[in-house]
Every structure is written in C-alpha cells, then in structure tokens.
Amino acid sequence: MRLRSLLSVGCVLSSLTAADLKAENELTSVPPAPSAQSAYEGDELELTPVAEVFQPGTGTIESEENPNPETLDQTEETENQIIFDDPAPPKPAPDPYKGLFFDNTFGAYLSNPNNPWLLGERFKEMPLGDECSPYTLSVGGELRHRWMHEQNRLRPGGPVNTDYNLWRWRQYFDLQISDFARVYFEGLDASIFDNDLPPTPIDINRWNIQNAFVDVKLHEWNGAPGWFRYGRQEMLYGSQHLISPLDWSNTRRNFEGFKYFHHTESVHIDAFITNPVNTGGGNQPLSQYDNGRDKPDTSVTFSGIYMTFLSGGPELLDLYYLWLRDETNTPNRPDGSRHTLGGRYKNSWEIMDDGCQVTRIWDFETEGAYQFGVDDSKRVSAGFYNVVLGHTWTKLPWEPRLSGLFYYGSGNHNPNGSSNNTFNTLYPLGHAYWGIIDNLSGQNLFDWSLQLNAKPAKKVSLVSAFHWFEKATTNDYLYNVAGAPVGTLGGSRDIGQELDLIAIYKFNPNFNVQAGYSWFWYGDFVGTNIPPRNTATQFYVQTTVRF
C-alpha cells in the first residue's frame, strides 16, 4: 500500500520522480561478485548490485531452509544470479529450479496452468496412493558438461597450456510426508577426462551422496513452522561471500550435521552445527575422496546463526555469527578457531518518468564482517568489506546495467608478530567475486571492478567485467583460489588486471548454454615473487540440462 500511495502521489505531482523498493526474486538476490558466476547455471538473474559479475547479492538465507518448496521465500541468490543481474520485470513463470535443488518451487509452478510445460514436471509432487494421499514424491536432477581451455593460471603444477572436459550428474528424490516431515536424497557423480594435469580437489567425486537428510516440524509460531534438519546438506546464505555450495566446481560443497530453521514473511532464522564432507569443503587428500565414500571431517566444525530481515520489497538486512574450528592447523593458511561477526544490507530504487513508467533503477549492496579468535597461538584480528552500486536503464535497447564494486580482504601486517590479520573467507563462491579465471582468493586482496550487463534478446544475457587486483598488505602472501599461499612474502602489491566476458543462452529453465573468455595480465608481483609467466587466459563452453 505504501508503494502504491507513493506512485499515486508521483503521478499527481509530476515534479517528483517516485523511487521505491522493487519486488525482488528471492533466490535471485545479487551478491557483489565478478560477472562470472550466475551464468553457470543459466538461472535468470535478478536485479542487484554489481552482483552479476561483481557482486551478486543473494536474497537472504540459505536455501535449504524451508522443507516445503511451495512456501519457500526465495531470498538467496544462485550462482547464475550472482553473475548476471537481470533488472527486467519479473516473468509470469519464474524459474522453479533454485540454487539448492531441495528448495525447488515446482509446487507453485505447477499450480499455475498458464506456465509453459517443462521437461520432468510430471515427476514432481506425485501423490503416492490416491490424490488425497499425504505422501508426495518429486524426482529430478541435472546433467552438465563443461569444456575448459586454460593457460598460465596460478594453479598447482606451474604455468601450462591445457584443455579438459568436466562432466556432472545430479539426481534427487524428495519425499514429503504431509506438512510435518520430509526425506530428501541427492546423489552426485563428477568426473574429468582428457586432462593433461592431475585433477584438482574440486574436479572429481565419483558416485557419492551429496544430500541426505530428514526434516521434522517442531512447532508452529508466528504463522510459520519451525523445522529441525539432520543429515548431509548443502548450504547457501546471503551473497555467498562466506557460505556457498560452489556450483561452479564440478563437485559441490556439502556438510553434515544439525540445523534448526524458522522462516516467516519478515524474518528468517537459521542455526546450524556441521562438519564439512567432501573435497569441495577442503577435505584432503583427493585420493581418499575421488572414488571413495565421502565422510565428514570431524576435526573441522562449522557452526553459526544466520538471520535475514525482510521488508516485503527489495530491501533486506542479514546479520550473522559464524564459528569455524579447525583442529589441524596448517602453516601459512588462515584457519585455527575463528569467530566471524558480520552483516549485509541490500536495496534498490526505481526512477519513474512523468507517466509513472520505470525508466531507471539504482541498486546498492554492502557487506562486511570482523573475524577474531586464535590461529597457531596468535590472536586473530581480520575482516572484509564489499560494496556494490549499480544503475540500470530499463528503456534503452538491451537494458544495460553498469555497476562498480570494491572489495577488501585483510592481510597480515607482520608475519612475525603476535597477531594474525589474514581474513579467512570460509566457504565462499570465489569464482563469482574475484575473477572467473579463478586465480585468487579474497584473502589479503583489494579488488576494484566495473561490470556491464546487457540483454540483447529475451533468452540471451551478456556480461563483461574488468578487475584491478592488489595485495592488501605487502608483508603477507598472495593466496590462490583454494586459499593456499603462492610465491614468497613481500614484493610488489601489484597482482594484475583481469577481463571477463560471458554470454548465456537460456532456452528455458531446463536447458542453457554458457560460454566465457577471460584474460589475466600479471602485475609486478609475478616474475619477482612467483616464477614469470605470460598472460593467463581461459575459455569454456558449458551446457546444462535439468529434468
């Protein structure tokens, strides 16, 4: 009502340009990240700050939260959404596939007879027994292939020129037991072939259980149920700066443990205690996980509380406390026992003409966190900050959106001192934030970035992003995408610049094709503290089929 009142006043008083909150896609919130992540999945992006490539600001809390997909509030952002921020008005038939498959909203999709037919829809919410049976079963999944060509990346084995293929199959079964319980199972097979180099930990995970949990309703409060979940589960929160399933990797990051979640129309509350399970969560060595049974690493405990406050429009506020306890500390790696306190704010404003037509949209997102604790007997004092500001011209051809991003992740000022100032990025969606070529992590890093998004056709999205990278402090290491130190201490702060170009064709929610090309021009740090190498490049073509 408030928005309608404002618009009415704007129409009467033509001197005002009404600006108010625009309804936002739950799962499509845009985190501040580089323009590479959301394209992966082919999900439609939603308008947000530089999120696409720079910083996608996902909606809210983790998508696994609501066991009933029909009542799920889509406040989190998928990888695709993170990289491609689509300011266009919401479609009448929203994509039922979400960043976490157990949050899919086929119930809402199928209830609308005007929605187009989708492959596999007849296997969603099938009653077991007669039509009034309290038991329903949904079956679905995904097939994905990506061909990669890369040279001179900062990866184990030194600078190389190589290409390889990645293949992934996901299959899920979702059993709903009335409105008080749920059993969910999802398997995954990820493989690599035609590769010259040994696979990395995120390339291969053969025939394993990705998700397997039980949800039980504990209570009803404030018009919404409170749920308890136990088992293996993926997690996705906020803009995915700190907690993400990392869908770009051939494997997907998962955890095992307990979670309580309660989501109302205005507040989402999640509390969890888990252990990381597969190599996507950092478990090593790969030889024990590629063809073996995944199992949780009980020496690492990841727990926290994540709250999201919703306004009913695009404005939202996240507040969170996270605790990572790693009992096998690794030298020169940020780990130990770390507590993270942080928050995120996101909003957008519509600018209208005298005829009350939206002509432009401003979007803004900012997030920051402080980290404290103990690491190798040193006191931890670290943090990160990210801000994104974007502007969309809705009446121009291709609906261009220009956005800018700034990211800061602290580094260690004195390696021989009594404190450790290197920020631990925990379990991030790094691919979407710090360059699609996947050279860097958000530790000891400055990132200034510009991103341009365009939509030349209804089913085609284009993204370009340019990054300037520097070390935040000279005395700390440069860290690669896995969080491992690269090269030697000291040296120049100039890391280099990266240009990312991405194109996505989304035929429908079932099928999309994506291609990307990236260049990384190394700065003075490379060649002095790292063996010299020529410009790094990466080209990929990815095809995804969902059912």
Side-chain angles (χ1 to χ4, degrees), residues 343-369:
R344 178 175 73 106
Y345 174 78
K346 178 183 175 182
N347 206 347
S348 64
W349 300 266
E350 296 176 347
I351 307 300
M352 300 184 183
D353 59 18
D354 294 342
C356 295
Q357 297 294 314
V358 177
T359 59
R360 296 179 290 127
I361 300 173
W362 285 98
D363 57 81
F364 173 78
E365 181 174 351
T366 184
E367 182 174 3

Side-chain angles (χ1 to χ4, degrees), residues 30-38 45 48-56 80-86 388-391 393 400-405 432-433 436 448-454 462-468 500 502:
V30 181
S35 74
Q37 187 81 16
S38 84
L45 301 181
T48 58
V50 188
E52 308 136 21
V53 158
F54 281 165
Q55 138 179 4
N80 292 344
Q81 298 163 336
I82 291 181
I83 295 198
F84 305 93
D85 187 16
D86 186 358
V388 175
L389 179 65
H391 190 79
W393 289 266
R401 177 180 181 274
L402 180 65
S403 56
L405 165 143
Y433 287 95
I436 317 201
W448 292 267
S449 183
L450 286 175
Q451 176 176 307
L452 179 64
N453 294 63
L462 302 177
V463 181
S464 62
F466 191 82
H467 299 263
W468 293 264
D500 299 318
I502 299 175

Side-chain angles (χ1 to χ4, degrees), residues 44-303:
E44 196 101 316
L45 301 181
E46 185 178 76
L47 131 61
T48 58
V50 188
E52 308 136 21
V53 158
F54 281 165
Q55 138 179 4
T58 89
T60 69
I61 0 191
E62 157 183 347
S63 35
E64 2 170 63
E65 3 190 81
N66 195 331
N68 186 343
E70 297 192 26
T71 60
L72 174 68
D73 252 306
Q74 307 175 352
T75 46
E76 308 155 351
E77 195 168 29
T78 66
E79 298 188 23
N80 292 344
Q81 298 163 336
I82 291 181
I83 295 198
F84 305 93
D85 187 16
D86 186 358
K91 308 283 187 299
D95 191 339
Y97 292 99
K98 306 307 175 187
L100 305 176
F101 274 176
F102 46 76
D103 284 336
N104 288 349
T105 55
F106 269 94
Y109 188 91
L110 296 176
S111 64
N112 186 346
N114 296 322
N115 286 342
W117 177 86
L118 290 180
L119 175 66
E121 70 171 31
R122 301 185 68 175
F123 297 100
K124 307 299 186 294
E125 304 206 352
M126 301 178 293
L128 300 182
D130 57 40
E131 294 184 357
C132 298
S133 171
Y135 304 96
T136 61
L137 177 66
S138 295
V139 179
E142 174 191 82
L143 295 173
R144 192 180 80 174
H145 171 266
R146 183 165 72 238
W147 176 78
M148 298 281 294
H149 174 80
E150 60 185 42
Q151 58 182 357
N152 298 324
R153 276 186 54 209
L154 295 177
R155 62 170 291 165
V160 296
N161 186 334
T162 183
D163 53 54
Y164 52 94
N165 290 270
L166 298 170
W167 170 266
R168 187 176 76 186
W169 176 28
R170 298 166 61 192
Q171 181 72 54
Y172 73 82
F173 302 87
D174 185 3
L175 174 64
Q176 297 276 350
I177 306 174
S178 187
D179 63 346
F180 63 86
R182 176 193 196 186
V183 179
Y184 183 88
F185 175 89
E186 182 177 333
L188 178 145
D189 179 55
S191 59
I192 183 173
F193 56 97
D194 293 338
N195 51 305
D196 302 320
L197 297 176
T200 68
I202 62 172
D203 290 335
I204 183 170
N205 191 5
R206 303 305 311 273
W207 304 108
N208 260 299
I209 299 174
Q210 184 67 16
N211 291 283
F213 59 79
V214 174
D215 286 340
V216 177
K217 185 168 75 171
L218 298 181
H219 61 80
E220 190 97 14
W221 175 59
N222 200 18
W227 295 87
F228 172 79
R229 172 173 297 166
Y230 173 70
R232 187 168 300 180
Q233 56 197 279
E234 298 171 339
M235 295 200 293
L236 186 162
Y237 284 99
S239 63
Q240 304 187 55
H241 261 119
L242 301 176
I243 308 175
S244 171
L246 190 58
D247 185 65
W248 172 253
S249 69
N250 209 30
T251 62
R252 281 174 60 99
R253 187 182 287 137
N254 58 359
F255 301 84
E256 191 164 304
F258 306 88
K259 179 197 289 188
Y260 167 82
F261 52 100
H262 179 250
H263 298 170
T264 70
E265 292 183 356
S266 59
V267 180
H268 290 188
I269 301 174
D270 284 36
F272 58 89
I273 302 175
T274 64
N275 306 115
V277 174
N278 61 22
T279 52
N283 293 353
Q284 297 288 345
L286 175 60
S287 58
Q288 294 184 6
Y289 288 86
D290 55 358
N291 284 292
R293 180 176 60 87
D294 285 351
K295 52 188 178 297
D297 182 358
T298 56
S299 69
V300 180
T301 302
F302 182 52
S303 58

Side-chain angles (χ1 to χ4, degrees), residues 264-504:
T264 70
E265 292 183 356
S266 59
V267 180
H268 290 188
I269 301 174
D270 284 36
F272 58 89
I273 302 175
T274 64
N275 306 115
V277 174
N278 61 22
T279 52
N283 293 353
Q284 297 288 345
L286 175 60
S287 58
Q288 294 184 6
Y289 288 86
D290 55 358
N291 284 292
R293 180 176 60 87
D294 285 351
K295 52 188 178 297
D297 182 358
T298 56
S299 69
V300 180
T301 302
F302 182 52
S303 58
I305 299 175
Y306 203 104
M307 301 178 63
T308 298
F309 300 89
L310 307 170
S311 66
E315 183 179 21
L316 64 83
L317 174 67
D318 289 345
L319 297 176
Y320 52 83
Y321 163 73
L322 307 171
W323 181 23
L324 177 65
R325 180 175 178 81
D326 189 343
E327 298 177 5
T328 57
N329 290 356
T330 305
N332 301 325
R333 297 286 293 268
D335 42 38
S337 178
R338 290 180 177 245
H339 306 267
T340 304
L341 282 173
R344 178 175 73 106
Y345 174 78
K346 178 183 175 182
N347 206 347
S348 64
W349 300 266
E350 296 176 347
I351 307 300
M352 300 184 183
D353 59 18
D354 294 342
C356 295
Q357 297 294 314
V358 177
T359 59
R360 296 179 290 127
I361 300 173
W362 285 98
D363 57 81
F364 173 78
E365 181 174 351
T366 184
E367 182 174 3
Y370 176 70
Q371 215 163 64
F372 59 95
V374 178
D375 188 346
D376 289 337
S377 301
K378 293 185 177 183
R379 180 179 63 89
V380 171
S381 180
F384 91 95
Y385 177 70
N386 190 90
V387 61
V388 175
L389 179 65
H391 190 79
T392 302
W393 289 266
T394 60
K395 295 300 182 181
L396 292 181
W398 295 18
E399 296 182 347
R401 177 180 181 274
L402 180 65
S403 56
L405 165 143
F406 170 75
Y407 171 86
Y408 163 72
S410 65
N412 205 10
H413 300 288
N414 182 4
N416 298 316
S418 60
S419 64
N420 186 327
N421 310 117
T422 304
F423 182 70
N424 187 338
T425 56
L426 302 180
Y427 301 100
L429 179 59
H431 179 79
Y433 287 95
W434 308 304
I436 317 201
I437 206 167
D438 289 328
N439 264 343
L440 305 172
S441 176
Q443 299 151 209
N444 189 32
L445 185 68
F446 277 128
D447 178 10
W448 292 267
S449 183
L450 286 175
Q451 176 176 307
L452 179 64
N453 294 63
K455 206 166 179 61
K458 182 179 180 180
K459 297 182 178 182
V460 178
S461 300
L462 302 177
V463 181
S464 62
F466 191 82
H467 299 263
W468 293 264
F469 295 115
E470 284 187 340
K471 292 169 60 180
T473 64
T474 302
N475 296 329
D476 201 352
Y477 290 98
L478 173 67
Y479 294 86
N480 67 14
V481 68
V486 178
T488 58
L489 290 170
S492 172
R493 292 175 55 186
D494 180 17
I495 302 172
Q497 299 82 42
E498 179 173 341
L499 173 63
D500 299 318
L501 302 176
I502 299 175
I504 297 178

